Amino acid sequence: MQRKYGDVFTVRLVPRGRPLVLFTRPEHAKEIFAADPEVFSAGKGNAILGPIMGEHSLLLQDSSQHKRARKLLMPAFNGHALRSYE
């Protein structure tokens, strides 16, 4: 799809559905994930995942709740911890 539509493009999965903006370059993901959590409200956008992920999933939280939960999870994903999982 990137070859046809470029680095950033929008799709609609169902007629008259919400637009889904796709980013294809790693630097885009880095910029989005480093952005101010007060600007992006991923939790609202991911609400459809609630029944699958659970209401307290990091993917469903925004703002200070998201920041707190992420801080709690980060030690499990540092380099030392990841090497020990091997």
Side-chain angles (χ1 to χ4, degrees):
M1 290 181 87
Q2 179 187 17
R3 285 187 197 118
K4 185 173 183 178
Y5 298 111
D7 291 342
V8 179
F9 55 95
T10 304
V11 297
R12 290 184 190 270
L13 299 177
V14 295
R16 286 180 285 197
R18 291 176 134 184
L20 178 62
V21 180
L22 301 173
F23 298 87
T24 61
R25 302 186 55 81
E27 54 269 22
H28 294 149
K30 183 177 182 179
E31 186 176 341
I32 291 166
F33 284 106
D36 182 353
E38 299 297 329
V39 174
F40 290 110
S41 299
K44 293 175 188 170
N46 291 331
I48 195 169
L49 299 173
I52 298 165
M53 303 300 292
E55 66 182 83
H56 299 292
S57 169
L58 180 64
L59 297 175
L60 301 178
Q61 296 180 20
D62 286 318
S63 195
S64 60
Q65 289 178 327
H66 176 85
K67 193 172 188 177
R68 180 184 175 278
R70 187 171 167 216
K71 194 179 239 184
L72 291 171
L73 287 171
M74 286 311 293
F77 295 99
N78 73 27
H80 177 70
L82 291 175
R83 283 188 294 278
S84 70
Y85 299 147
E86 292 177 335

